[in-house]
Amino acid sequence: MPKYIVVTGGVLSGLGKGIVSSSIGLLLKRRGYKITAIKIDPYLNCDAGTMNPFQHGEVFVLEDGGEVDLDLGNYERFLDMNLSRDNNITTGKVYKNVIEKERRGDYLGKTVQIVPHITDEIKNWIRGVAEKEGADICIVEIGGTVGDIESMPFLEAVRQLRLEEGGENVVFIHTTLVPILKVVGEQKTKPTQHSVKELRAIGIDPDAIVGRCIEPLKEETKRKISLFCNVPYEAVFSSPDAECIYEVPLILEEQGICKYILKKLNLSDREANLKDWKDFVNRLKNGKKKIDIGLVGKYTALGDSYLSILEAFRHASAELDAKVNVVWVEAEELEEGKKMPDVDAVLVPGGFGERGAEGKIMAIKYARENKIPFLGICFGFQLAVVEYGRNVVGLNCHSTEIKPDTEHPIITILPEQYGIKELGGTMRLGAQPVIIKEGTLAFKLYKQKKIYERHRHRYEVNPEYVDTLEKHGLIFSGVAEDKIRMEILELQEHPYFIASQFHPEFKSRPLKPAPLFYGFIESAIKKRYGE
Ligand code: GLN
């Protein structure tokens, strides 16, 4: 029988509930418990795939092709496991199921209501995931802030879950903000008190409180939270701003958070094996080789749009004694005549649509001609083909995504996309096999002939141009099993010029950096510091 840890948030969104949840998951996993995690997003979208990364941060892609909230990326990285689309519940998914059942007649004769029909659907979903995965403990993070209209049915569902499963099988952890007023310099607990009051009005008494604050919570602050929020003193934990997110589990471990949770769940506490994690965090914090990487995008104002890429930099840096400084380059500004900054490497990430595409092509040309290490991902791969087609082969070419009537459609829509009208969940998605040619840079990095990497695209290299591109020196070192779909390109006579149709960043993890990122950081170090 799985047990449940439900993590809620108060006062503000964006508190780092996902990191707290992932951290607890890691600490329990390292004690030998089998863990799974569910993220609940109370929006009406069926999945994150149709949302603008500028509003919600990056769309994370799973092995099974699920397009999900970026918190699932944190769970995968902390727990070092692959999750499935069912690990992300949204209001849209829940209502869709219930409405389909109603139409089928499953509730015949009944008035279908939020309680019990929607709440039952939510509980069944949570239990279904925990049981299917055979988890000892399932972490359920409820997105948004307690008090939001949207999250009400989910909070009601987990209240019922505790009632049905029993207090020793479900614990509630509430994460809140503890602000410090500059003038008085005092840690203020009132917002926490109010949000706990809100939670208790719904019928949920938190078992523990994690206070997010720029500094560790003072004893006096913890005492106040304990008294006013009705939790024992030893159940108030502090999660101060950390230098890096991977440090958060260690900060919580020191305070004995698992000891407390396991006692509540009536499970035995065990020794946590955290040695490799600690070493990883130390290496990450103490990287000595500073490198500047130009990230050429169009949502550069919001780092969360490229979260997995930034994490992948960290995973590779930790193994290479490096420290990456990201130089954000707005692609549109390059079009307006701004010069590429002087960087050690250039990355052109995934993207959609016309805005900034020419700027990205300029950045690729700059990296190719000046022999600056380059990594292109998805749209970055496609635009690298356009750049090569234009400037080396001499074709007036483009992607039909940007210019449908281009003279040479060197990037074109995937055949299975013809006639697709619905935009949600219809791209080529998830893990697909890629065959790597021996003797190439890609093979040197992956050391394998067949790999599985995650995809999210509608366009691809037009097979009619592959021969011409190859004759002009472009190497397609990775192809799909059908040999028609190009997956990786690279160049000789360049220190590091590689791009992939897939997204290597989604599978990069602490202690297991993605090969394309490892090679990229390594070559940036060489560029800066020599051999
Ligand atoms: N817009 C491109 C496509 O749909 C690239 C997508 C991406 O970069 N994720 O194929």
Side-chain angles (χ1 to χ4, degrees):
M1 283 290 286
K3 306 215 175 205
Y4 301 89
I5 298 174
V6 180
V7 181
T8 51
V11 186
L12 290 180
S13 62
L15 270 180
K17 268 196 313 285
I19 301 297
V20 170
S21 310
S22 313
S23 299
I24 293 171
L26 169 86
L27 296 174
L28 293 167
K29 184 177 174 184
R30 294 305 184 98
R31 283 171 161 77
Y33 285 106
K34 186 156 175 19
I35 304 298
T36 190
I38 296 174
K39 170 77 193 290
I40 290 177
D41 283 307
Y43 45 66
L44 274 159
N45 305 57
C46 284
D47 63 39
T50 53
M51 291 194 300
N52 185 334
F54 197 57
Q55 278 180 24
H56 268 275
E58 118 191 320
V59 177
F60 192 78
V61 181
L62 301 170
E63 289 291 284
D64 69 3
E67 298 172 276
V68 293
D69 183 80
L70 55 78
D71 271 322
L72 278 271
N74 287 323
Y75 296 158
E76 284 204 343
R77 289 185 282 263
F78 278 68
L79 297 174
D80 189 20
M81 67 185 284
N82 292 334
L83 298 170
S84 79
R85 64 178 80 230
D86 285 347
N87 295 67
N88 195 187
I89 309 179
T90 69
T91 301
K93 283 184 186 174
V94 173
Y95 274 74
K96 191 163 176 275
N97 279 4
V98 170
I99 291 168
E100 273 168 14
K101 284 184 187 165
E102 187 276 331
R103 289 291 79 188
R104 263 204 319 263
D106 292 6
Y107 307 114
L108 220 50
K110 305 237 173 64
T111 307
V112 182
Q113 291 175 304
I114 293 183
V115 183
H117 301 98
I118 292 291
T119 48
D120 279 354
E121 186 68 28
I122 296 167
K123 283 183 294 178
N124 290 342
W125 196 316
I126 294 174
R127 288 185 175 118
V129 168
E131 278 160 26
K132 190 185 81 200
E133 295 184 25
D136 298 319
I137 304 170
C138 174
I139 297 176
V140 183
E141 178 196 344
I142 303 188
T145 311
V146 170
D148 295 347
I149 293 176
E150 283 85 354
S151 56
M152 286 295 188
F154 293 103
L155 292 167
E156 170 58 17
V158 293
R159 183 194 68 77
Q160 295 172 16
L161 187 76
R162 158 118 99 180
L163 184 72
E164 292 163 11
E165 299 285 325
E168 74 285 6
N169 294 320
V170 182
V171 300
F172 288 112
I173 298 180
H174 191 54
T175 313
T176 70
L177 177 76
V178 178
I180 296 179
L181 273 192
K182 219 172 169 186
V183 259
V184 274
E186 194 189 333
Q187 297 179 347
K188 304 303 266 182
T189 64
K190 193 70 83 191
T192 301
Q193 295 177 37
H194 278 293
S195 92
V196 170
K197 206 166 141 194
E198 194 89 41
L199 200 55
R200 293 175 73 195
I202 307 168
I204 295 175
D205 268 301
D207 297 289
I209 290 174
V210 177
R212 283 279 297 114
C213 185
I214 55 169
E215 59 183 28
L217 298 187
K218 297 191 176 117
E219 194 199 313
E220 179 197 329
T221 312
K222 287 200 206 170
R223 294 232 176 266
K224 246 191 185 162
I225 292 177
S226 159
L227 180 67
F228 287 102
C229 301
N230 198 34
V231 295
Y233 175 76
E234 65 272 16
V236 184
F237 300 94
S238 84
S239 179
D241 287 355
E243 199 181 314
C244 82
I245 54 167
Y246 300 110
E247 220 181 331
V248 175
L250 304 176
I251 296 172
L252 292 173
E253 173 74 3
E254 247 173 48
Q255 301 171 64
I257 195 163
C258 283
K259 199 169 160 230
Y260 181 80
I261 292 173
L262 288 168
K263 200 169 104 202
K264 279 263 148 198
L265 289 174
N266 219 352
L267 292 170
S268 59
D269 192 12
R270 307 167 180 167
E271 190 77 43
N273 176 7
L274 290 165
K275 167 130 189 11
D276 57 347
W277 192 270
K278 281 183 189 158
D279 291 346
F280 162 72
V281 171
N282 272 338
R283 289 197 299 273
L284 188 56
K285 283 167 71 177
N286 298 314
K288 281 186 263 324
K289 296 172 189 152
K290 302 211 169 8
I291 46 170
D292 296 320
I293 295 185
L295 206 155
V296 188
K298 68 173 180 182
Y299 301 115
T300 56
L302 186 76
D304 268 1
S305 315
Y306 299 111
L307 184 70
S308 293
I309 290 179
L310 303 182
E311 296 308 325
F313 285 160
R314 295 191 179 108
H315 308 153
S317 304
E319 307 312 318
L320 288 159
D321 192 24
K323 187 141 248 157
V324 171
N325 170 40
V326 176
V327 180
W328 297 99
V329 183
E330 270 298 325
E332 273 186 306
E333 291 180 3
L334 297 176
E335 292 166 16
E336 288 154 10
K338 199 167 166 182
K339 275 185 95 170
M340 258 310 271
D342 183 17
V343 287
D344 303 310
V346 173
L347 189 144
V348 177
F352 295 83
E354 185 176 1
R355 193 165 75 77
E358 288 302 326
K360 291 176 182 174
I361 294 173
M362 288 171 175
I364 297 166
K365 180 168 189 274
Y366 171 85
R368 185 177 56 77
E369 292 181 342
N370 294 293
K371 304 236 184 285
I372 295 168
F374 166 76
L375 175 60
I377 297 175
C378 203
F379 200 39
F381 164 89
Q382 297 171 357
L383 295 178
V385 172
V386 173
E387 192 279 321
Y388 207 81
R390 284 185 189 173
N391 301 323
V392 179
V393 185
L395 296 172
N396 177 19
C397 62
H398 215 325
S399 163
T400 54
E401 176 183 1
I402 317 294
K403 201 168 187 290
D405 59 350
T406 174
E407 190 186 338
H408 289 287
I410 206 160
I411 301 292
T412 187
I413 194 130
L414 290 158
E416 65 265 35
Q417 294 282 328
Y418 300 151
I420 284 184
K421 296 234 157 42
E422 284 198 5
L423 293 184
T426 55
M427 282 187 248
R428 180 173 181 240
L429 288 166
Q432 311 277 349
V434 175
I435 311 299
I436 299 186
K437 288 184 193 144
E438 283 178 71
T440 59
L441 171 62
F443 191 81
K444 201 175 131 219
L445 294 166
Y446 277 100
K447 302 179 183 72
Q448 280 178 62
K449 278 195 221 160
K450 188 174 181 181
I451 56 165
Y452 288 82
E453 289 279 15
R454 299 183 188 176
H455 293 70
R456 183 172 187 251
H457 65 119
R458 280 185 216 286
Y459 294 82
E460 66 174 346
V461 179
N462 187 339
E464 286 171 25
Y465 289 89
V466 169
D467 268 354
T468 315
L469 286 161
E470 282 180 333
K471 276 194 194 110
H472 284 82
L474 192 68
I475 300 162
F476 286 107
S477 50
V479 295
E481 278 184 315
D482 62 8
K483 300 203 173 69
I484 295 168
R485 254 164 220 180
M486 298 301 116
E487 291 276 6
I488 309 177
L489 67 78
E490 59 188 71
L491 285 180
Q492 269 173 346
E493 319 293 320
H494 191 289
Y496 193 88
F497 191 99
I498 198 161
S500 62
Q501 180 60 78
F502 52 82
H503 290 264
E505 70 274 26
F506 293 139
K507 286 180 87 161
S508 182
R509 293 187 184 161
L511 302 156
K512 292 181 189 165
L516 295 184
F517 278 85
Y518 186 91
F520 182 58
I521 302 287
E522 191 178 41
S523 57
I525 296 170
K526 269 190 201 146
K527 158 115 185 21
R528 177 87 166 241
Y529 295 93
E531 292 302 312

